Amino acid sequence: MALSKDVIAQHGLSESEYARIQEHLGREPNLLELGVFSVLWSEHCSYKSSRKHLRGFPTKGPRVLVGPGENAGVVDIGDGMAAAFKMESHNHPSYIEPYQGAATGVGGILRDVFTMGARPIASLNSLRFGDTSHPKTAWLLDGVVRGIGGYGNCIGVPTVGGEVAFDESYNGNCLVNAFTVGVLEADRIFKGTASGVGNPILYVGSKTGRDGIHGATMASAEFDEDSESKRPTVQVGDPFTEKLLLEACLEIFKTDALVGIQDMGAAGLTSSSIEMAGRAGSGIEIDVAKVPRREEGMTPYEVMLSESQERMLIVAKRGREDEVLRIFHKWDLDAAVIGRVTDDGRVRILDGGKEVANLPVTPLTDGAPIYDRPTKRPPEQDALQSFDPLSVPPGRDHGETLLGLLARPTIASKEWLIRQYDHTVRLGAVVRPGPADAAVVRVERSGKGLAMAVDCNARFVYLDPFEGARLAVAECARNVSCVGGEPLGLTDCLNFGNPERPEIMWQFAEATRGIAAACRELDLPVVSGNVSLYNETEGKAILPTPTVAVVGLLPDVTATCAGVFRKAGDKVAVLGETRGQLGGSEWLLMTAGKIAGRPPALDAEREKALQSVVRDLVRSRKVVSAHDTSEGGLAAALAECCMADAEKPIGAQVSLPVGSVPPHAYLFGEDASRVIISYAPENENEIAAACKAAGVPFASIGTVGGDRLVISGLVDLSVSRLSGAWRRGIPSLMKKPTHL
């Protein structure tokens, strides 16, 4: 029976895509087959609008063991060990149901990492919410943070850092990007492949229910006024079951019984089984009647497309299935043999032995549509970039301006969030969240550490997608270098609006080109990532937000530092050049209410030299602290150095070499490639010499001490007053009325 146009449209397929399906099959698909094509050809699973541009990323390097295409990327960290990491989005579900959307986002990224054979050791997150006056902002922030904390705390993986920013463009579409890193043996990497004709396919984990059906399709469409009616497509997570699944998988990895393993993430059993077959060039046969269920009367369509959480698909060696079943049953998990690997390149779905779908694998995976969508530079871009921020009056009191900036939620202390995350579980965090630019986590039994950070200034990307994306990569790598980490690899989460709009596709194309350029300039391979498109509501897109996360290696985990001043009498210096660039700055947004101008210029060679010298200074213990300058400029960074450690706040007296730069621009400009350091006075000559040899500008600007921050006669404020403004930003937001 022919399917109606309404049914086809409800599955997110265009008329041309449906015609293409008919060509592949030589017939009309049935409803189940249509559902399978729908989810695997969705933007979320197939990357049909983005794949062309992602091919430009550098993905190889001397330490890369597994690059993009698997559940997570893997890099070599030496001595037979490796780190697996990835970042993914859970934006649409989190806007509809913030607690479960965020919680299951954490659960999904954890599974992506431990599927590779790694034990997760740390998580980060990157969050975006709407204007602070919007009635849903506080409600979404509260639910998302509770969801992240609730899941991560229960499973016992510390959330060690992250970032959060606010802008009205996210009013109708918040962003929740989750990152996890794990450690494994370099010669024990597991992949999602279904090879070996006759090998059994096993389902393990939780039972299947009706939650999450069409979640991948929903994530591939923009929101409208009826978006909240999509709550049934949001999955429900159970972190306690995930903990059992993690331990069971780690136990099975110690055997040689596995051929392949895949998380049942977006599109559930459909994507996991068919993607495994696609990677191996094989076929599969699955009987949905054998799938453990928690609801009665589920159809094959519902079983195949359910996105119930905490589930894995395993291909075991023939004859070893009982061994696998015993291990998962020991951990009180459901486990069943539901199919086998075949050699005909087709996916056959049975229901109690009766065939209900028969499809070729290749058109579902490598044969999915790839679009070269038109791009168009927005006509307003020239006007945006030509705006001169210096035309905005600076204000009379720079101290009051600084207090205002520190209280803005994008810059303000994130302690309200951090307190809800358990960052001490497993005792691996060496540098706690808040005082440092990047988190540092100990690699057990090695003496090494992993540094990690996540970053994106979406205002810069909006003004110039190419340069803004370059700046995001540079800042994230710089944050890792500020704690002594050598950046090893990058993962990304590319959040954009509707790719069918040429202006949005232009943003995406330019941003991916910028990421690729920066990664080549900094010798930083992209090893994994995620694309999230259609982040818009009723035609209003989010700011383009290509979030990046970088993982770095510390040979000696004790040779690190935080980003806060520690000791009276220490000297303070700025590394890098200050030009007072205010384009796209938080100062301009606060003062003039607009995002305009050009983002700061990035000199890749100077950036690379800066990061190298900072790493060397941190590792040689020549500096007490190192802190990157970003939102709010030098003034905000200096204030953070004074007050970020709530237990030991301390002041500083500094004199900035303002020169011909307007004072407010020198204070609040967000120039790239700058780091504030503090150090014992006796180390100054050696530090200055190292900077000179590297070609990095060095300016000794003052001394740590007292209880006030005094800057060149421009700012004179008590640290307690600075701290009060900085620490009340987020709590003040949470006291506002919330969405019901």
Side-chain angles (χ1 to χ4, degrees):
M1 182 177 69
L3 298 166
S4 70
K5 289 185 177 181
D6 285 346
V7 169
I8 295 166
Q10 288 167 7
H11 282 74
L13 293 164
S14 67
E15 290 185 10
S16 62
E17 288 172 339
Y18 185 69
R20 189 168 173 172
I21 291 170
Q22 290 175 298
E23 290 177 12
H24 284 307
L25 298 182
R27 59 176 173 81
E28 295 271 352
N30 61 36
L31 184 61
L32 171 57
E33 292 168 334
L34 182 75
V36 170
F37 268 102
S38 167
V39 293
L40 289 179
W41 281 15
S42 69
E43 196 71 61
H44 191 77
C45 291
S46 72
Y47 292 13
K48 58 189 175 185
S49 297
S50 59
R51 199 182 307 183
K52 169 183 180 289
H53 301 281
L54 301 179
R55 290 170 178 163
F57 286 167
T59 60
K60 299 185 184 300
R63 289 185 179 269
V64 177
L65 301 178
V66 177
E70 278 291 339
N71 291 291
V74 183
V75 296
D76 189 352
I77 61 173
D79 299 320
M81 301 296 292
F85 57 93
K86 189 180 182 183
M87 182 163 53
E88 278 207 348
S89 63
H90 232 223
N91 303 334
H92 286 61
S94 297
Y95 182 78
I96 295 171
E97 212 304 299
Y99 183 93
Q100 290 296 344
T104 52
V106 173
I109 197 63
L110 286 166
R111 290 194 300 279
D112 279 342
V113 167
F114 72 72
T115 296
M116 303 300 297
R119 177 178 287 280
I121 62 170
S123 293
L124 304 173
N125 53 72
S126 174
L127 312 176
R128 296 290 185 278
F129 299 97
D131 187 87
T132 55
S133 64
H134 192 276
K136 289 190 74 168
T137 296
W139 176 74
L140 287 167
L141 175 59
D142 176 66
V144 165
V145 171
R146 285 191 298 107
I148 291 170
Y151 206 101
N153 296 352
C154 289
I155 197 172
V157 176
T159 299
V160 295
E163 59 155 13
V164 59
F166 299 81
D167 183 84
E168 64 179 5
S169 72
Y170 305 105
N171 283 350
N173 199 129
C174 65
L175 301 184
V176 176
N177 295 174
F179 164 95
T180 291
V181 62
V183 175
L184 68 161
E185 296 178 17
D187 61 352
R188 297 288 292 169
I189 299 171
F190 292 85
K191 298 182 179 181
T193 182
S195 58
V197 176
N199 279 335
I201 299 173
L202 292 90
Y203 170 114
V204 300
S206 293
K207 289 181 170 65
T208 293
R210 290 187 171 94
D211 50 321
I213 294 173
H214 283 306
T217 307
M218 177 193 69
S220 305
E222 61 185 83
F223 280 151
D224 54 31
E225 60 185 7
D226 298 321
S227 61
E228 294 202 33
S229 67
K230 298 177 181 177
R231 288 181 189 271
T233 62
V234 177
Q235 311 94 323
V236 177
D238 179 355
F240 300 105
T241 298
E242 177 117 334
K243 173 63 173 173
L244 298 175
L245 183 61
L246 163 63
E247 298 300 338
C249 286
L250 292 176
E251 182 173 340
I252 202 72
F253 291 150
K254 294 177 182 178
T255 74
D256 64 347
L258 294 192
V259 173
I261 181 169
Q262 176 89 1
D263 165 42
M264 290 192 214
L269 183 54
T270 292
S271 62
S272 57
S273 60
I274 295 173
E275 287 174 2
M276 290 178 80
R279 292 190 187 107
S282 63
I284 54 168
E285 181 181 280
I286 288 175
D287 192 336
V288 295
K290 298 178 180 178
V291 172
R293 310 178 192 189
R294 67 169 183 264
E295 298 185 43
E296 297 291 333
M298 291 186 70
T299 65
Y301 181 100
E302 291 173 323
V303 173
M304 289 300 297
L305 271 64
S306 167
E307 294 186 8
S308 294
Q309 297 291 285
E310 294 87 39
R311 302 179 302 160
M312 293 279 193
L313 198 66
I314 286 175
V315 175
K317 294 178 180 177
R318 187 161 39 179
R320 304 289 294 277
E321 49 265 61
D322 286 345
E323 181 181 349
V324 176
L325 292 170
R326 277 196 304 272
I327 289 175
F328 283 92
H329 287 154
K330 185 188 80 171
W331 288 95
D332 291 328
L333 294 165
D334 282 283
V337 178
I338 64 168
R340 63 187 181 90
V341 178
T342 63
D343 62 356
D344 59 2
R346 301 189 71 83
V347 50
R348 294 180 67 240
I349 302 172
L350 311 176
D351 184 13
K354 177 184 176 182
E355 185 174 281
V356 291
N358 191 323
L359 301 167
V361 171
T362 300
L364 290 164
T365 53
D366 294 340
I370 299 179
Y371 294 127
D372 186 4
R373 297 198 184 275
T375 63
K376 179 183 178 182
R377 190 175 189 268
E380 66 271 17
Q381 208 72 27
D382 288 338
L384 281 172
Q385 292 184 350
S386 64
F387 179 82
D388 182 6
L390 292 178
S391 66
V392 177
R396 296 181 179 179
D397 191 326
H398 298 310
E400 288 299 320
T401 299
L402 175 57
L403 290 170
L405 283 169
L406 292 175
R408 291 176 67 79
T410 293
I411 294 180
S413 169
K414 305 308 184 293
E415 289 172 347
W416 183 88
L417 291 79
I418 292 168
R419 284 197 298 267
Q420 299 185 55
Y421 304 148
D422 187 346
H423 56 270
T424 61
V425 65
R426 297 185 61 82
L427 301 178
V430 176
V431 179
R432 62 186 177 87
D437 289 6
V440 178
V441 178
R442 180 179 290 104
V443 178
E444 292 181 1
R445 300 185 299 278
S446 72
K448 299 179 180 181
L450 292 178
M452 60 207 74
V454 59
D455 213 290
C456 180
N457 187 320
R459 299 188 307 276
F460 292 167
V461 183
Y462 172 68
L463 294 173
D464 188 329
F466 176 79
E467 292 298 341
R470 285 180 73 228
L471 286 163
V473 173
E475 181 175 351
C476 199
R478 191 184 318 131
N479 288 335
V480 166
S481 294
C482 280
V483 295
E486 176 194 358
L488 300 183
L490 176 145
T491 183
D492 59 55
C493 200
L494 309 178
N495 308 275
F496 289 80
N498 185 341
E500 298 168 47
R501 294 168 53 196
E503 293 84 359
I504 298 297
M505 204 62 226
W506 175 80
Q507 290 178 338
F508 185 89
E510 286 295 289
T512 52
R513 192 168 66 87
I515 290 173
C519 285
R520 289 192 175 91
E521 290 162 343
L522 300 177
D523 300 322
L524 189 58
V526 179
V527 300
S528 60
N530 172 242
V531 175
S532 176
L533 302 178
Y534 295 95
N535 288 290
E536 58 181 78
T537 298
E538 298 181 1
K540 181 173 176 55
I542 63 167
L543 291 178
T545 314
T547 308
V548 298
V550 171
V551 172
L553 178 66
L554 285 80
D556 179 357
V557 73
T558 66
T560 187
C561 71
V564 293
F565 297 152
R566 294 293 189 193
K567 184 181 177 183
D570 280 351
K571 300 294 291 292
V572 179
V574 176
L575 310 186
E577 184 180 2
T578 298
R579 302 175 186 173
Q581 295 172 306
L582 289 166
S585 67
E586 193 74 17
W587 175 87
L588 182 62
L589 185 58
M590 180 182 77
T591 305
K594 61 173 62 183
I595 301 172
R598 285 190 173 274
L602 174 69
D603 183 318
E605 288 303 315
R606 287 192 172 193
E607 177 70 39
K608 198 171 180 178
L610 172 72
Q611 291 190 33
S612 178
V613 76
V614 169
R615 272 197 309 274
D616 289 345
L617 291 173
V618 172
R619 290 180 177 186
S620 63
R621 296 180 169 86
K622 297 298 181 184
V623 296
V624 175
S625 68
H627 183 33
D628 162 52
T629 67
S630 54
E631 288 93 348
L634 272 175
L638 285 165
E640 289 166 353
C641 289
C642 291
M643 66 186 176
D645 188 340
E647 297 176 1
K648 298 178 181 179
I650 192 169
Q653 295 76 47
V654 302
S655 179
L656 298 179
V658 174
S660 61
V661 178
H664 73 287
Y666 208 103
L667 288 170
F668 307 119
E670 297 180 6
D671 306 64
S673 309
R674 295 179 301 168
V675 173
I676 295 171
I677 60 172
S678 66
Y679 50 90
E682 60 267 25
N683 291 331
E684 180 161 290
N685 290 339
E686 189 173 349
I687 292 171
C691 290
K692 183 177 180 180
V696 174
F698 170 89
S700 179
I701 62 171
T703 306
V704 176
D707 59 2
R708 304 183 71 81
L709 173 62
V710 181
I711 306 176
S712 298
L714 301 171
V715 172
D716 186 348
L717 293 167
S718 68
V719 174
S720 62
R721 191 173 176 197
L722 292 168
S723 180
W726 188 62
R727 288 188 160 84
R728 70 168 176 262
I730 300 290
S732 294
L733 166 62
M734 299 313 297
K735 291 177 182 177
K736 295 180 179 180
T738 59
H739 168 79
L740 297 176

